[in-house]
Amino acid sequence: MLSSDEHDLFRANVRRFVREEVAPHADAWRARGYIDRDLWRKAGALGFLCASTPEEYGGGGGNFWHESIIIEELARAAFPDFSIPLQNVILAPYLMQYGTEQQKHRWLPRMASGELVAALAMSEPGAGSDVRAIRTHARLDGNDYIVNGQKTFITHGHTADLICLAVKTGASEGQGVRGFSLLMIETDETSGFARGRRLEKVGLKAQDTAELFFNDARVPVDNLLGGIEGRGFYQLMEQLAKERINIAMQALALTEAALAETVAYVKEREVFGKRLIDFQNTRMVLAEAKTMVTVTRTFVENCIARLIDGTLDPETAAMAKWWATDRQCEIIDNCVQLHGGYGYMLEYPVARMWTDGRIQRIWGGSNEVMKELISRTL
Ligand SMILES: Cc1cc2nc3c(=O)[nH]c(=O)nc-3n(C[C@H](O)[C@H](O)[C@H](O)COP(=O)(O)OP(=O)(O)OC[C@H]3O[C@@H](n4cnc5c(N)ncnc54)[C@H](O)[C@@H]3O)c2cc1C
């Protein structure tokens, strides 16, 4: 845990940033489908990007508790669309963990400043849950890889400057998971790379999600993450526990925010001459929700502490991801119900929380896949 002073100060800074720089523009960004590029630079200048990356590489030198505060404050403002966690908790750790020194110094400081927005591209039209089925491949040609293939559903696909791309590498094709590598694509400098359309989603309207195409794209061999072919699958798998705790935390934060909205609403709204909170059904539903949120927070915080001290196993992380995201969908649905018709109106935060949160049961390994993983420990 952070000291309470450090915790309060960091939270106050993030809250002010969200209130002043995010909230006033959120509707406009949702309407056009992406956030202002400048927001990344502002977040970088205030130290919110790569918050848990060591200072030596331009990061904030913090840990997952700092990341949790960022997640909570964005959820509180009903704007999880600003996917700082993807940059901080997923992409930066790939570089920190597996990048060569040269790669870390080349990209991390610019990710921390907001100059570079990063994306992770694994999924393909024929390969989502089954990552092994990817077909995008890279063949060596002199000092370059020639990349061909297609990715879909890629968060930041439209805005990313740096894409961590899962490929099958030529020399090791046919070697199963040992045929995987991660290539860092610098989008400005890559011929043969094209972005497809921005995909229309039911929620997270300001988070850009796109298809990517590689048609004889030329990528310098220096951009192979870690510099050794064939390690990609293990690199992806090793980071999954952190990615799943990240999703669990996002789900918890959104649930807590929706519950707070709903408690305030039922204390105001009157039907049949009394406040909604005065109906026993309302109190029962909210008492159950509060209990479930408390149980979830206890579990997720325990997982975060274990993540930080290196003792979190992948199956427990899978439990947290499944549990927190399922509770989120159940509780926020009840929150919508307590809002009546207003809960179905997008101008009410709870309606957006309902649609924004739905993806959590699907991405980062679907909840069905989580249960498969957990079942292996039985
Ligand atoms: C908004 C959004 C953003 C995304 N961002 C990214 C990103 O940045 N990068 C990226 O690489 N991907 C991203 N994804 C892709 C996401 O990770 C996949 O959608 C997810 O992994 C599921 O894959 P799929 O959609 O192909 O579904 P499928 O794999 O086709 O699954 C369909 C159904 O089958 C079930 N199923 C699959 N396997 C099993 C099994 N073994 N046992 C039982 N049931 C099973 C699933 O649970 C699901 O219910 C994003 C997706 C969305 C919608």
Side-chain angles (χ1 to χ4, degrees):
M1 284 280 185
L2 306 178
S3 77
S4 60
D5 284 354
E6 190 191 350
H7 184 281
D8 292 350
L9 183 63
F10 191 73
R11 186 181 295 285
N13 288 340
V14 178
R15 190 168 292 184
R16 188 178 325 109
F17 166 74
V18 172
R19 186 177 60 236
E20 292 174 3
E21 304 289 350
V22 177
H25 310 287
D27 283 340
W29 292 335
R30 279 190 205 100
R32 73 171 191 199
Y34 57 96
I35 60 173
D36 260 359
R37 190 49 208 252
D38 211 32
L39 189 65
W40 288 96
R41 295 200 184 86
K42 287 177 181 164
L46 291 166
F48 305 146
L49 298 185
C50 300
S52 52
T53 301
E55 290 171 3
E56 184 190 349
Y57 301 101
N63 61 30
F64 203 94
W65 297 117
H66 294 88
E67 305 294 0
S68 300
I69 290 172
I70 296 171
I71 291 169
E72 284 164 352
E73 292 304 316
L74 286 167
R76 210 173 147 265
F79 201 68
D81 312 53
F82 187 20
S83 43
I84 294 182
L86 176 60
Q87 179 108 336
N88 288 14
V89 183
I90 298 181
L91 272 309
Y94 272 116
L95 280 167
M96 266 315 295
Q97 218 52 51
Y98 309 115
T100 61
E101 270 313 297
Q102 191 267 353
Q103 290 173 336
K104 290 188 219 180
H105 284 291
R106 186 163 147 210
W107 291 312
L108 282 169
R110 290 192 286 150
M111 284 170 61
S113 70
E115 186 191 331
L116 295 183
V117 174
L120 174 65
M122 293 193 281
S123 303
E124 300 183 2
S129 304
D130 183 8
V131 182
R132 289 168 204 238
I134 64 164
R135 299 177 64 173
T136 299
H137 58 84
R139 283 206 178 77
L140 257 187
D141 178 37
N143 284 332
D144 292 332
Y145 282 104
I146 307 294
V147 182
N148 281 286
Q150 176 184 352
K151 297 288 175 181
T152 193
F153 296 151
I154 305 308
T155 305
H156 298 165
H158 235 253
T159 41
D161 315 279
L162 184 66
I163 299 172
C164 179
L165 183 75
V167 293
K168 288 196 170 158
T169 25
S172 43
E173 240 175 315
Q175 294 179 18
V177 295
R178 281 178 290 124
F180 272 70
S181 298
L182 298 178
L183 271 186
M184 303 303 293
I185 310 293
E186 294 170 292
T187 57
D188 278 356
E189 292 168 25
T190 306
S191 63
F193 162 71
R195 305 175 203 262
R197 65 202 167 94
R198 228 179 11 252
L199 301 168
E200 272 282 323
K201 308 190 296 297
V202 298
L204 294 174
K205 295 282 192 183
Q207 191 172 97
D208 85 275
T209 309
E211 297 169 311
L212 306 176
F213 298 96
F214 298 86
N215 190 6
D216 286 335
R218 231 167 226 285
V219 182
V221 74
D222 283 350
N223 288 25
L224 177 67
L225 187 66
I228 300 172
E229 271 189 14
R231 300 213 170 147
F233 195 79
Y234 305 103
Q235 292 166 342
L236 289 170
M237 294 304 119
E238 276 171 22
Q239 293 302 309
L240 285 177
K242 181 181 274 186
E243 292 173 21
R244 287 169 184 161
I245 294 308
N246 173 43
I247 295 175
M249 188 64 216
Q250 291 194 50
L252 169 63
L254 204 63
T255 315
E256 288 177 337
L259 186 55
E261 282 287 328
T262 307
V263 169
Y265 182 81
V266 299
K267 288 181 176 172
E268 288 286 323
R269 174 76 173 165
E270 290 196 3
V271 289
F272 295 104
K274 54 183 183 177
R275 298 179 311 158
L276 269 178
I277 187 82
D278 296 325
F279 290 86
Q280 191 186 38
N281 175 66
T282 306
R283 295 195 303 275
M284 299 287 136
V285 168
L286 292 176
E288 284 182 12
K290 186 167 182 180
T291 309
M292 281 196 265
V293 161
T294 305
V295 170
T296 307
R297 179 161 278 279
T298 308
F299 181 32
V300 171
E301 286 192 350
N302 176 267
C303 288
I304 293 173
R306 290 164 64 187
L307 179 72
I308 291 171
D309 73 19
T311 58
L312 182 69
D313 57 276
E315 292 80 13
T316 306
M319 288 180 201
K321 195 268 176 183
W322 162 65
W323 174 264
T325 60
D326 254 37
R327 296 294 72 70
Q328 172 218 275
C329 287
E330 177 187 345
I331 292 170
I332 299 183
D333 192 74
N334 284 338
C335 290
V336 167
Q337 189 71 15
L338 285 171
H339 276 72
Y342 298 96
Y344 202 65
M345 297 297 126
L346 284 175
E347 65 197 85
Y348 279 74
V350 76
R352 297 197 304 273
M353 290 165 172
W354 188 50
T355 52
D356 290 345
R358 182 60 182 84
I359 185 59
Q360 307 273 29
R361 287 167 56 200
I362 298 171
W363 66 13
S366 74
N367 283 8
E368 291 70 32
V369 172
M370 294 305 99
K371 288 179 217 172
E372 277 291 340
L373 291 174
I374 299 161
S375 73
R376 288 179 200 162
T377 64
L378 299 175

